Amino acid sequence: MLPATVLYNDRFGGGYYTLFIVWWWAPTLAAVILVAAVPSVPYAKRLGARSAFATVAHQFKSAGSYQMYPRKFWMTVMGGLTVLEAILLAIWITLNVVMLWNWYYYYTESYDYVQHVIGMDFAIPRPQMNLERMALCFGWLCFLDVSILFWPIAHNSFLHQLTGVPYPVLIRFHRWVGHTTMWSTTLHGIFYFIYWGIDNDVNGWTKFADWGQVSSINNLAGSVSWWFGLALWVTSVNYVRRRWYSVYQSVHMVGFLGYVLFALIHYPAMWVSIVPGLLLYAADIALRMCQSSNVSTVTNWRVIGKGNNRAIVMTLPVDKDVEMKPQHDYFVNFPGVSRWHWHPLTCLYPQGQQGQPGGSVTFCMKQKGKWSTAVIDEIINTEYVPVRVNGPIGGDSILSQNYDHLLFVAGGVAAVPLLSVIEDMVKQRSAGGPDATLVPASVCLIWTSREREEFTLLSETIMAAASCGDGWLTIDLIYSGAVTVPAQQPLKGTPHQLQANKLEEEGTAVKNLVESHPEGKTYFSEANGAISLSSSPRAAGRCPVSSHSRTHGGCPLKFPGASALFWDRVRPIQPKALNQWHYMACAIMAFVGGLFGVVLGNSFINEFYTAYPVNNRYWQGGLVIFCTIMVTAVGLPLALVVFPVQFYRYMRSNSKAGCEKDAAIMSQGMERTAALLMDETVGFQESGMSLPIKIGRIDLTATLQETVQQQKASSRVGFSCGGPEAMVRTAAMTAWRLNDESKGAYLHFHRATHEL
């Protein structure tokens, strides 16, 4: 009678690790180098959005974006499924099935060879052995799943630069691969638990609790890894993630570290598939560590709305080396609220001025949950607020290219990414040159909101383009909230007269606020119906900055303890990487560090086996590999590529000239004039421009039908919708239905807002 272990010899033979490094590590690094180098090639720079290459790429994307049937089912289950996504999913599922069958056939073939050719039998019945074979097959399947699991999570992933797919969509693919990974891990463990439970020759609990003492595989560590994965899996579902984002974020990081660590302790050879994706993430972590250690502050802010429906518009200074584009996302941390929780925000209006040392970026954040409430309260009630920023992420404005007409539909503050795109197109159109050819022939924005004050997010640049009369930009503002009938006739007059009357009526209320303030003095700003209190003149619009003293009405030079390092002096947002070449060098160093860590870890295993030829310490090799890879893969690029550059920039900013430059960035007049809200219009006092506010609800079907009828069948029409999930899904389903029914222009649907 033979033991079952004779079936599980090394299938690959010699060169197992080398094959993985050559065929998996090397292509991953080559892809990173390719996407970093190609944008710098002169020929690549000349490829415009109207070139033949771009036209073919657009047609390919259009075909790939066609929605699969049954659309309502796919929309309910996974937010829609395009042809391209279906192809990728089919390839991924096929690879999993083929690999599962391949391993199962390999073990079955070995069993038949021993039993029928050699003529010997096994001590374990074949049905029972099938359970262990299935468990092993799903274990090997984890190699495939985790090999690309970590590719999309890096903020500057090569997949985004290679395909143009937005970061939130890449995270969607990460979730799909994560589901298959956890199913493989779960079935791997369950089949083993059943196998141990029905095996009369072994104690099931002994096998479960074996910490690498009985066999070389650490079974208990594998179970612990699975438990970490389960916690990560449960908190990642949409219901939990959307309601308890902070819990999801914390459990995700702890679960990720626990899953990888104990998986390597369970079976150290898993490093060959886990590490390549982790090295991309390690390079990103090295870049993030230095950027997020810089401390900035809110230079301007205003509150719109009242009560629990507030939103805050805040401006942060940005260094001139930070690339600013519309639709850029940033991860923002407020140490005064929580040092560990980072939340994504989309920039409203990135702004820079020619000849100026820097610029500014504006965010609008709606009050939703405890974290956003605490942040808004801190900004309003605290004189100076430390902010740590990581980004930008994404920012390729694909909505403003390749289309003859653009239709934007927005709900509430979800108009933020669309407003940034529109302002960018207005500037390109005004500046002329090659970029002006990328701007569509016409643009329409339909913005509905339950809060009138949110319409004041409109910039003067956008309103001027909509009011010039050339018909290029059309804006419809629709108020869909509660309507109260006034006791008197609505006021008539110019925006200046209405504002003067409003301030006069509020005079008594302001005096009461001044007298009741604890310090006896209150500065206030009238923000479209909401009065923001503060103990400093900063609430009135802008935070004056002094580069010499923190006691002369300026922002403090330092926020002690706010930075993870010693960079606690207030500075504009710093760049994550200086350019593509800097990022490429960081990625190369991460791979070199990862290879160095692998060599160190495997050297420990080889030396240990040389001195002590036993298997009960094999799990220690996995622990050493994890520690060495984490230290070298992050430490080497951090020490040699990232930290020296950022340290030099920090020390340079500490000089007198550097302090004056940073002070100039934070004190220059980068804030925007806020639009004034009247009962029926929103406009600007100095220019006299205004737009009417309609009352009612948007009819998406009628709007899209009108767009399809007005545009030629050959026109390329882009349709982007941002807002609550229900609104976005309704818009998508309506557009897809009209595409099937109508012979007019085809609507290319895009999501303007995503759920991370």
Coordinates of all heavy atoms in Angstrom, one line a residue, residues 552-607:
H552 N 1.6 86.8 12.8 CA 1.1 88.0 12.2 C -0.1 87.8 11.3 O -0.1 88.3 10.2 CB 2.3 88.6 11.4 CG 3.4 89.1 12.2 ND1 4.7 88.6 12.0 CD2 3.5 89.9 13.3 CE1 5.5 89.2 12.9 NE2 4.8 90.0 13.7
G553 N -1.0 87.0 11.8 CA -2.2 86.8 11.0 C -2.1 85.8 9.9 O -3.0 85.6 9.1
G554 N -0.9 85.1 9.8 CA -0.7 84.2 8.7 C -0.9 82.7 9.2 O -1.1 82.4 10.3
C555 N -0.9 81.8 8.2 CA -0.9 80.4 8.5 C 0.3 80.0 9.3 O 1.4 80.5 9.1 CB -1.0 79.6 7.2 SG -2.6 79.8 6.3
P556 N 0.2 79.0 10.2 CA 1.3 78.6 10.9 C 2.3 77.9 10.0 O 2.0 77.2 9.1 CB 0.7 77.5 11.9 CG -0.5 77.1 11.3 CD -1.1 78.3 10.5
L557 N 3.6 78.1 10.3 CA 4.6 77.5 9.5 C 4.7 76.0 9.7 O 5.1 75.3 8.8 CB 6.0 78.1 9.9 CG 6.3 79.5 9.4 CD1 7.6 80.0 9.9 CD2 6.2 79.7 7.9
K558 N 4.2 75.5 10.8 CA 4.3 74.1 11.1 C 3.0 73.6 11.8 O 2.4 74.3 12.5 CB 5.5 73.7 12.0 CG 6.9 74.0 11.3 CD 8.0 73.5 12.2 CE 9.3 73.7 11.5 NZ 10.5 73.2 12.4
F559 N 2.7 72.3 11.5 CA 1.7 71.5 12.2 C 2.5 70.4 12.9 O 2.6 69.3 12.3 CB 0.7 71.0 11.3 CG -0.3 72.0 10.7 CD1 -0.4 72.3 9.4 CD2 -1.2 72.6 11.6 CE1 -1.3 73.2 8.9 CE2 -2.1 73.5 11.1 CZ -2.1 73.8 9.8
P560 N 2.9 70.6 14.1 CA 3.7 69.5 14.8 C 2.9 68.3 14.9 O 1.8 68.2 15.4 CB 4.0 70.2 16.2 CG 3.9 71.6 15.9 CD 2.8 71.8 14.9
G561 N 3.6 67.2 14.5 CA 3.0 65.8 14.6 C 2.0 65.5 13.5 O 1.5 64.4 13.5
A562 N 1.7 66.4 12.6 CA 0.7 66.1 11.5 C 1.3 65.2 10.5 O 0.6 64.4 9.8 CB 0.2 67.4 10.9
S563 N 2.6 65.3 10.3 CA 3.3 64.5 9.2 C 3.8 63.2 9.8 O 4.1 63.0 10.9 CB 4.5 65.3 8.7 OG 5.3 64.5 7.8
A564 N 3.8 62.2 8.9 CA 4.3 60.8 9.3 C 5.8 60.9 9.4 O 6.4 60.1 10.2 CB 4.0 59.8 8.2
L565 N 6.5 61.8 8.8 CA 7.9 62.1 8.9 C 8.1 63.3 9.7 O 7.3 63.7 10.5 CB 8.6 62.1 7.5 CG 8.5 60.8 6.7 CD1 9.1 61.0 5.3 CD2 9.2 59.6 7.4
F566 N 9.2 64.1 9.4 CA 9.4 65.3 10.1 C 9.0 66.5 9.2 O 9.3 67.7 9.5 CB 10.9 65.4 10.4 CG 11.8 65.2 9.3 CD1 12.2 66.3 8.4 CD2 12.3 64.0 9.0 CE1 13.0 66.1 7.3 CE2 13.2 63.7 7.9 CZ 13.5 64.8 7.1
W567 N 8.3 66.3 8.1 CA 8.0 67.3 7.2 C 6.7 68.0 7.6 O 5.6 67.8 7.0 CB 7.9 66.8 5.8 CG 9.1 66.2 5.3 CD1 10.4 66.4 5.8 CD2 9.3 65.3 4.2 NE1 11.3 65.7 5.1 CE2 10.7 65.0 4.1 CE3 8.4 64.8 3.2 CZ2 11.2 64.1 3.1 CZ3 8.9 63.9 2.3 CH2 10.3 63.6 2.2
D568 N 6.7 68.7 8.8 CA 5.4 69.2 9.3 C 5.2 70.7 9.0 O 4.3 71.3 9.5 CB 5.4 69.0 10.8 CG 6.6 69.5 11.5 OD1 7.5 70.1 10.9 OD2 6.7 69.3 12.7
R569 N 6.1 71.2 8.1 CA 5.9 72.6 7.7 C 4.9 72.7 6.6 O 4.8 71.8 5.7 CB 7.2 73.2 7.2 CG 7.2 74.7 7.1 CD 8.5 75.3 6.7 NE 8.9 74.9 5.3 CZ 8.5 75.5 4.2 NH1 7.6 76.5 4.3 NH2 8.9 75.1 3.0
V570 N 4.0 73.7 6.7 CA 3.0 73.9 5.7 C 3.6 74.2 4.3 O 4.4 75.1 4.2 CB 2.0 75.0 6.1 CG1 1.0 75.3 5.0 CG2 1.4 74.7 7.4
R571 N 3.2 73.4 3.3 CA 3.6 73.6 2.0 C 2.5 73.3 1.0 O 1.5 72.6 1.4 CB 4.8 72.6 1.7 CG 6.0 72.6 2.6 CD 6.9 71.5 2.4 NE 7.5 71.5 1.1 CZ 8.1 70.4 0.5 NH1 8.0 69.2 1.1 NH2 8.7 70.5 -0.7
P572 N 2.6 73.8 -0.2 CA 1.6 73.4 -1.2 C 1.7 71.9 -1.5 O 2.7 71.2 -1.2 CB 2.0 74.2 -2.5 CG 2.9 75.3 -2.0 CD 3.6 74.8 -0.7
I573 N 0.7 71.3 -2.1 CA 0.7 69.9 -2.5 C 1.9 69.6 -3.4 O 2.1 70.3 -4.4 CB -0.6 69.5 -3.2 CG1 -1.8 69.7 -2.2 CG2 -0.6 68.1 -3.6 CD1 -3.2 69.5 -2.9
Q574 N 2.6 68.6 -3.0 CA 3.9 68.3 -3.7 C 3.6 67.1 -4.7 O 2.7 66.3 -4.5 CB 5.0 67.8 -2.8 CG 5.4 68.9 -1.8 CD 6.0 70.1 -2.5 OE1 6.9 70.0 -3.2 NE2 5.4 71.3 -2.2
P575 N 4.4 67.0 -5.8 CA 4.2 65.9 -6.8 C 4.6 64.6 -6.2 O 5.5 64.5 -5.4 CB 5.1 66.3 -7.9 CG 6.2 67.2 -7.3 CD 5.5 67.9 -6.2
K576 N 3.9 63.6 -6.6 CA 4.3 62.2 -6.2 C 5.5 61.8 -6.9 O 6.4 61.2 -6.3 CB 3.1 61.2 -6.5 CG 3.4 59.8 -6.1 CD 2.3 58.9 -6.6 CE 1.0 59.2 -5.9 NZ -0.1 58.2 -6.3
A577 N 5.6 62.0 -8.2 CA 6.8 61.7 -9.0 C 7.0 62.9 -9.9 O 6.1 63.5 -10.3 CB 6.7 60.4 -9.8
L578 N 8.3 63.2 -10.2 CA 8.6 64.3 -11.0 C 8.2 64.2 -12.4 O 7.7 65.1 -13.0 CB 10.1 64.6 -10.9 CG 10.7 64.9 -9.5 CD1 12.2 65.2 -9.7 CD2 10.0 66.1 -8.9
N579 N 8.3 63.0 -12.9 CA 7.8 62.7 -14.3 C 7.8 61.2 -14.5 O 7.9 60.4 -13.5 CB 8.8 63.3 -15.3 CG 10.3 63.0 -15.0 OD1 10.6 61.9 -14.7 ND2 11.1 64.0 -15.0
Q580 N 7.5 60.8 -15.7 CA 7.4 59.3 -16.0 C 8.7 58.6 -15.8 O 8.7 57.4 -15.4 CB 6.9 59.1 -17.5 CG 5.5 59.5 -17.7 CD 4.5 58.6 -17.0 OE1 4.2 58.8 -15.8 NE2 4.0 57.6 -17.7
W581 N 9.8 59.2 -16.1 CA 11.1 58.6 -15.9 C 11.4 58.3 -14.4 O 12.0 57.3 -14.1 CB 12.2 59.4 -16.5 CG 12.0 59.6 -18.0 CD1 11.6 60.8 -18.6 CD2 12.2 58.7 -19.0 NE1 11.5 60.6 -20.0 CE2 11.9 59.3 -20.3 CE3 12.6 57.3 -19.0 CZ2 12.0 58.6 -21.5 CZ3 12.7 56.7 -20.3 CH2 12.4 57.3 -21.5
H582 N 10.9 59.3 -13.6 CA 11.1 59.1 -12.2 C 10.3 57.9 -11.7 O 10.8 57.1 -10.9 CB 10.7 60.4 -11.4 CG 11.0 60.4 -10.0 ND1 10.3 61.2 -9.1 CD2 11.9 59.7 -9.3 CE1 10.8 61.0 -7.9 NE2 11.8 60.1 -8.0
Y583 N 9.1 57.8 -12.2 CA 8.2 56.6 -11.8 C 8.8 55.3 -12.3 O 8.8 54.3 -11.6 CB 6.8 56.8 -12.3 CG 6.0 55.5 -12.2 CD1 5.6 55.0 -11.0 CD2 5.6 54.8 -13.4 CE1 4.9 53.9 -10.9 CE2 4.9 53.7 -13.3 CZ 4.5 53.2 -12.1 OH 3.8 52.0 -12.0
M584 N 9.4 55.4 -13.5 CA 10.0 54.1 -14.1 C 11.2 53.7 -13.3 O 11.3 52.5 -13.0 CB 10.4 54.4 -15.5 CG 10.9 53.2 -16.2 SD 11.3 53.5 -18.0 CE 12.6 54.7 -17.9
A585 N 12.0 54.7 -12.8 CA 13.1 54.3 -12.0 C 12.7 53.7 -10.7 O 13.3 52.8 -10.1 CB 14.0 55.5 -11.8
C586 N 11.6 54.3 -10.1 CA 11.1 53.7 -8.9 C 10.6 52.3 -9.1 O 10.8 51.4 -8.2 CB 9.9 54.6 -8.4 SG 9.2 54.2 -6.8
A587 N 9.9 52.0 -10.2 CA 9.4 50.7 -10.4 C 10.5 49.7 -10.6 O 10.5 48.5 -10.1 CB 8.4 50.7 -11.6
I588 N 11.5 50.1 -11.3 CA 12.7 49.2 -11.6 C 13.4 48.9 -10.2 O 13.7 47.7 -10.0 CB 13.7 49.9 -12.5 CG1 13.1 50.0 -13.9 CG2 15.0 49.1 -12.6 CD1 13.9 50.7 -14.9
M589 N 13.5 49.9 -9.4 CA 14.1 49.6 -8.1 C 13.3 48.7 -7.2 O 13.8 47.9 -6.4 CB 14.4 51.0 -7.4 CG 15.5 51.8 -7.9 SD 17.1 50.9 -7.6 CE 17.5 50.3 -9.3
A590 N 11.9 48.8 -7.4 CA 11.1 47.9 -6.6 C 11.3 46.5 -7.0 O 11.3 45.6 -6.2 CB 9.6 48.4 -6.8
F591 N 11.4 46.3 -8.3 CA 11.6 44.9 -8.8 C 13.0 44.4 -8.4 O 13.1 43.2 -8.1 CB 11.4 44.9 -10.4 CG 10.0 44.6 -10.8 CD1 9.1 45.7 -10.8 CD2 9.6 43.4 -11.2 CE1 7.8 45.5 -11.2 CE2 8.3 43.2 -11.6 CZ 7.4 44.2 -11.6
V592 N 14.0 45.3 -8.5 CA 15.3 44.9 -8.0 C 15.3 44.5 -6.6 O 15.9 43.5 -6.1 CB 16.3 46.0 -8.3 CG1 17.7 45.7 -7.7 CG2 16.5 46.2 -9.8
G593 N 14.6 45.4 -5.8 CA 14.5 45.1 -4.3 C 13.7 43.8 -4.1 O 14.0 43.0 -3.2
G594 N 12.6 43.6 -4.9 CA 11.9 42.3 -4.7 C 12.7 41.1 -5.0 O 12.7 40.1 -4.3
L595 N 13.5 41.2 -6.1 CA 14.4 40.0 -6.4 C 15.4 39.8 -5.3 O 15.7 38.7 -5.0 CB 15.0 40.3 -7.8 CG 15.9 39.2 -8.3 CD1 15.1 37.9 -8.6 CD2 16.6 39.6 -9.6
F596 N 16.0 40.9 -4.8 CA 16.9 40.8 -3.7 C 16.3 40.2 -2.5 O 16.9 39.3 -1.8 CB 17.5 42.2 -3.4 CG 18.6 42.2 -2.4 CD1 19.8 41.5 -2.6 CD2 18.4 43.0 -1.2 CE1 20.8 41.6 -1.7 CE2 19.5 43.0 -0.3 CZ 20.6 42.3 -0.5
G597 N 15.1 40.6 -2.2 CA 14.4 40.0 -1.0 C 14.1 38.5 -1.2 O 14.2 37.7 -0.3
V598 N 13.7 38.1 -2.5 CA 13.5 36.7 -2.7 C 14.8 35.9 -2.6 O 14.8 34.8 -2.0 CB 12.9 36.6 -4.2 CG1 13.0 35.1 -4.6 CG2 11.5 37.0 -4.2
V599 N 15.9 36.4 -3.0 CA 17.2 35.7 -2.9 C 17.5 35.6 -1.4 O 17.9 34.5 -1.0 CB 18.3 36.5 -3.6 CG1 19.7 35.9 -3.3 CG2 18.0 36.5 -5.1
L600 N 17.3 36.6 -0.6 CA 17.6 36.5 0.8 C 16.7 35.5 1.5 O 17.2 34.7 2.3 CB 17.4 37.9 1.5 CG 18.5 38.9 1.2 CD1 18.1 40.3 1.8 CD2 19.9 38.5 1.6
G601 N 15.4 35.5 1.1 CA 14.5 34.6 1.8 C 14.8 33.1 1.4 O 14.8 32.2 2.3
N602 N 15.0 32.9 0.1 CA 15.3 31.5 -0.3 C 16.7 31.0 0.2 O 16.9 29.8 0.4 CB 15.2 31.4 -1.8 CG 13.8 31.3 -2.3 OD1 13.2 30.2 -2.2 ND2 13.3 32.4 -2.7
S603 N 17.6 32.0 0.4 CA 18.9 31.6 1.0 C 18.8 31.1 2.4 O 19.5 30.2 2.8 CB 19.9 32.8 1.0 OG 20.1 33.2 -0.4
F604 N 17.8 31.7 3.1 CA 17.6 31.2 4.5 C 17.1 29.8 4.5 O 17.5 28.9 5.2 CB 16.5 32.1 5.2 CG 16.0 31.5 6.4 CD1 16.6 31.6 7.6 CD2 14.8 30.8 6.4 CE1 16.1 31.1 8.8 CE2 14.2 30.3 7.6 CZ 14.9 30.4 8.8
I605 N 16.2 29.5 3.5 CA 15.6 28.1 3.4 C 16.7 27.1 3.1 O 16.9 26.0 3.7 CB 14.5 28.1 2.4 CG1 13.3 29.0 2.8 CG2 14.0 26.6 2.2 CD1 12.2 29.1 1.8
N606 N 17.6 27.5 2.1 CA 18.6 26.6 1.6 C 19.6 26.3 2.7 O 20.1 25.2 3.0 CB 19.3 27.1 0.4 CG 18.4 27.1 -0.8 OD1 17.4 26.3 -0.9 ND2 18.6 28.1 -1.7
E607 N 20.0 27.4 3.4 CA 21.0 27.2 4.5 C 20.5 26.4 5.7 O 21.2 25.6 6.3 CB 21.5 28.6 5.0 CG 22.3 29.4 4.0 CD 22.7 30.7 4.5 OE1 22.5 31.0 5.6 OE2 23.3 31.5 3.7

